Amino acid sequence: MKLLWISSIAWINNGKYRLPVNGPGAVSGSLFQQNIIEGLEEQELNIAILSDFPTTKKFNKGFKWSHNKSSNDYAVGSFKIPLISMIIKTVLMCFNILKRKEKREYSVAVAYLIHTPYLIALWFAKKLNNNLKTILICPDLPGYMDMSLKDKPIKSFFKKVDYWVINKLLNNIDAFILFSDAMREQLPIKNKKTLVIEGVYSPNGINFDKVNKKKSIMHAGTLHKNIGIENIIEGFKLIEDKELELWIFGDGELNEYIQREARKDRRIKFFGFVSRTELFEYQKQATLLINARNSIDDYTKYSFPSKTFEYMVSGTPFLTTKLSGIPEEYYDYLYTMDSNAPSIISDHIKQILAISDKERELFGLKARDFVLKNKNKNSQSTKMKEFLRSINSQ
């Protein structure tokens, strides 16, 4: 089966990216895609990638590349200019599809992310090949990807127009792969086939050697408002233990706020954005990993926190608010809290720190085993391969 993969992806090769990558979200999204693509190719699918590279560079020239030394991959050029960049990306992607000699040989085209240029590219590819089946992978819903959008009236207006276009284009999709079962409520799926795959994990390049623990609580990810980071900091400040530290990793609009809090309380350490391998070493050293999204916020139903797998595989216990987007099977391996109020966060941290080191270690290792055995790239890509075959046979 020949497959065209359309997305934003930063392929990691020998532990390195071709260009500087644009933040934690791009890293986690690219890791999911690379793991699935590698898993599918191990099962004899032939995949070509058409992408835009998620780089920090303001201008990036398009380039040919190959993820497996034989694939016909291309990354379109990018310009960091709102709206104009979307138009240019759309035109370049459609032009690349038009130029491909094998454009009528693809059985399936897959796009990762509900993003207008990718949806138009899928529509255009299908116009050139009537037998093509189109599949959309939905890690998030567009209305919930920027939690501070209400504070940006101009951007909010253009996003409403974009959502209207997206909803029209979604009707052309043949099948959907969702990160959360609840996404069905928000998408025009009707009687179309769906598959839920909340993520995939591959330990490539990761060192599982045991390290010495440090008395620390750790959070890593995109640092946006309204996803519980401020609550974690306020909850940590209620704990009087002078030896306990709070480590925060990532990048986003809360950078300056975190730096201010770190100056006020020397126990708070801000590390910024670091590589996956370096981040994993810190995750192993920490006493407890934490995520504190507000469980009553609608968006938590429609997403699976990307950091979940990395946290669980580290072997360090993970404390999270109980979220609708996390399937029940995970909760045997997680410490949970029903609220992200600072006082609740503080109380739960103190309760977990009171548990013996050995008990915490065993709990963390159980979580690691669960992910490695059940959510690896072979098991998840097998599910996706069978799904692709069922769509292609329709």
Side-chain angles (χ1 to χ4, degrees), residues 308-322:
T308 303
F309 286 160
E310 297 284 336
Y311 275 13
M312 293 176 72
V313 171
S314 71
T316 297
F318 175 21
L319 170 64
T320 177
T321 40
K322 197 160 186 180

Side-chain angles (χ1 to χ4, degrees), residues 106-146:
Y106 296 119
S107 302
V108 177
V110 174
Y112 176 88
L113 197 66
I114 305 175
H115 183 44
T116 304
Y118 307 156
L119 295 175
I120 293 175
L122 284 179
W123 169 82
F124 185 71
K126 195 161 188 173
K127 285 293 182 183
L128 299 175
N129 179 359
N130 290 330
N131 295 320
L132 185 74
K133 300 295 185 180
T134 56
I135 296 175
L136 181 63
I137 301 175
C138 309
D140 294 289
L141 295 176
Y144 298 95
M145 292 174 70
D146 185 347

Side-chain angles (χ1 to χ4, degrees), residues 210-218 236 241 243-247 249 267 269 271 281-289 316-317 353 357 360:
K210 194 172 180 178
V211 298
N212 293 326
K213 289 287 187 180
K214 296 184 179 178
K215 199 173 184 181
S216 58
I217 313 301
M218 178 173 164
F236 174 79
D241 188 337
E243 295 180 358
L244 184 65
E245 294 183 345
L246 173 62
W247 299 348
F249 291 79
R267 299 176 302 161
K269 311 294 182 184
F271 294 85
E281 290 302 310
Y282 278 101
Q283 288 171 339
K284 290 193 298 181
Q285 292 174 36
T287 306
L288 179 67
L289 306 173
T316 297
L353 292 180
D357 293 347
R360 284 199 307 270

Side-chain angles (χ1 to χ4, degrees), residues 1-3 44-47 107-108 385 388-389 392:
M1 183 190 300
K2 277 195 171 184
L3 189 152
E44 300 182 347
L45 272 73
N46 186 343
I47 300 174
S107 302
V108 177
K385 182 194 75 171
L388 295 176
R389 290 198 185 284
N392 194 41

Side-chain angles (χ1 to χ4, degrees), residues 174-177 189 191-195 387 390-391 393-394:
D174 292 310
F176 295 83
I177 296 175
I189 289 173
N191 297 320
K192 295 177 181 179
K193 283 193 173 184
T194 61
L195 173 68
F387 183 70
S390 71
I391 300 302
S393 64
Q394 287 181 342

Side-chain angles (χ1 to χ4, degrees), residues 125-193:
K126 195 161 188 173
K127 285 293 182 183
L128 299 175
N129 179 359
N130 290 330
N131 295 320
L132 185 74
K133 300 295 185 180
T134 56
I135 296 175
L136 181 63
I137 301 175
C138 309
D140 294 289
L141 295 176
Y144 298 95
M145 292 174 70
D146 185 347
M147 300 310 297
S148 59
L149 195 61
K150 61 185 178 181
D151 301 324
K152 306 168 185 174
I154 296 175
K155 185 177 181 180
S156 179
F157 170 77
F158 283 108
K159 279 295 180 184
K160 286 178 181 177
V161 175
D162 188 35
Y163 298 158
W164 182 84
V165 175
I166 284 171
N167 284 326
K168 294 292 182 184
L169 291 167
L170 286 175
N171 290 315
N172 299 314
I173 303 299
D174 292 310
F176 295 83
I177 296 175
L178 313 175
F179 271 38
S180 163
D181 191 62
M183 286 181 168
R184 290 187 175 98
E185 303 169 4
Q186 299 289 322
L187 296 170
I189 289 173
K190 298 177 183 176
N191 297 320
K192 295 177 181 179
K193 283 193 173 184

